[in-house]
Amino acid sequence: MFLTRFRFNTARMGARRLLTAPQSLHAAVMASFAEKVDHQGGGPRVLWRLDQDLRSDVLLYIVSPHRPDLTHLVEQAGWPTTGSWQTAPYAPFLARLAPDDTWAFRLTANPVHSARRHAAEPTKRTAHVTPRHQLDWLLKRQTDAGFAIVERPERLPDELDGVWREVVVHNRHDLTFGKKDQSDGRAHEVKLTRVTYDGRLRVLDPDALRRTLTVGLGKAKAYGCGLMTLAPAE
């Protein structure tokens, strides 16, 4: 496994085009690998996420089973003569995860649920739109994903269940774009909501957490959702 970081040159037309078109950016990420990546099995896959740091830099993070070559991204959306990308082996870090370790985390995800207006109607995948329900979506998945968000009983409780947790839900983006159906070639509209979670977690099950970090969490992984990364907790 490899973890890669690339910085966009947002002054370039190619960067602006990719940053506003999730399908195009997904295609650019997948073009970073000489061999076609198989996402049909349940093993590690290619995950990606866009971050904006305090300097307003726009960063692309990629987790992948194989080392990527982002030459085409540098040429289209980076600094061809002075910029590059950074890739590091991910396995040594994953091997260090241990029960009860505490880490800062960031996750961009597509929090959805199945809903219907009446009993005769089939269920439809629907986005959670409030921070409270978006947080609840993550809390329902944390144990199976191998972690628990850090709780602070000495703080005033929140409105969810009377427990204050070290997590913030922010940076919501509602995306709408067209996509061709592979079966009949017809175009249809895709709508999805991306939100970012920043907080601190405690490791419950290292193997389950390793799977979360390499397989992703939730839906819409092709469109920049599902990638969780960890950093030393202050």
Side-chain angles (χ1 to χ4, degrees):
M1 296 298 298
F2 296 89
L3 175 63
T4 299
R5 184 180 70 176
F6 169 80
R7 183 161 65 100
F8 281 95
N9 180 353
T10 54
R12 302 191 65 183
M13 185 67 72
R16 295 196 294 270
R17 184 175 60 250
L18 289 171
L19 293 173
T20 56
Q23 266 194 299
S24 298
L25 185 49
H26 170 67
V29 169
M30 299 309 295
S32 303
F33 305 96
E35 302 295 332
K36 184 177 179 180
V37 181
D38 182 11
H39 284 162
Q40 301 304 312
R45 57 172 294 151
V46 176
L47 302 168
W48 61 271
R49 187 184 76 215
L50 289 174
D51 284 3
Q52 185 166 324
D53 68 12
L54 295 177
R55 300 182 303 173
S56 296
D57 288 337
V58 179
L59 304 172
L60 171 67
Y61 287 92
I62 303 172
V63 166
S64 57
H66 309 293
R67 183 183 291 272
D69 182 342
L70 304 189
T71 302
H72 60 300
L73 275 176
V74 175
E75 293 172 346
Q76 296 175 41
W79 287 264
T81 60
T82 60
S84 187
W85 67 94
Q86 299 82 43
T87 296
Y90 205 23
F93 172 79
L94 296 174
R96 287 168 43 201
L97 296 176
D100 293 324
D101 282 352
T102 300
W103 295 92
F105 76 89
R106 171 167 289 179
L107 165 70
T108 293
N110 171 225
V112 297
H113 67 293
S114 296
R116 57 186 175 187
R117 291 171 295 184
H118 50 78
E121 184 180 62
T123 58
K124 182 180 179 181
R125 188 179 296 171
T126 305
H128 288 299
V129 296
T130 68
R132 175 177 178 175
H133 289 105
Q134 291 162 353
L135 175 57
D136 189 48
W137 175 90
L138 181 59
L139 295 178
K140 289 178 178 178
R141 288 158 179 78
Q142 61 179 344
T143 302
D144 288 342
F147 66 89
I149 295 174
V150 173
E151 298 179 357
R152 297 289 296 274
E154 71 274 16
R155 297 293 296 269
L156 292 175
D158 62 20
E159 297 179 355
L160 188 64
D161 57 5
V163 178
W164 194 91
R165 295 178 175 85
E166 295 193 25
V167 61
V168 177
V169 185
H170 64 104
N171 201 29
R172 170 182 166 179
H173 287 285
D174 295 319
L175 306 175
T176 302
F177 52 93
K179 179 183 178 182
K180 284 189 177 181
D181 193 307
Q182 294 182 351
S183 60
D184 58 16
R186 295 181 180 179
H188 65 278
E189 189 177 66
V190 176
K191 294 183 178 181
L192 63 90
T193 296
R194 285 195 312 215
V195 299
T196 297
Y197 303 84
D198 281 317
R200 293 208 308 162
L201 61 77
R202 179 171 56 86
V203 180
L204 298 179
D205 182 336
D207 288 336
L209 183 54
R210 290 183 192 105
R211 176 174 173 79
T212 298
L213 297 175
T214 56
V215 176
L217 190 61
K219 305 293 185 180
K221 297 183 180 72
Y223 305 118
C225 299
L227 173 56
M228 173 184 279
T229 54
L230 306 181
E234 295 181 358

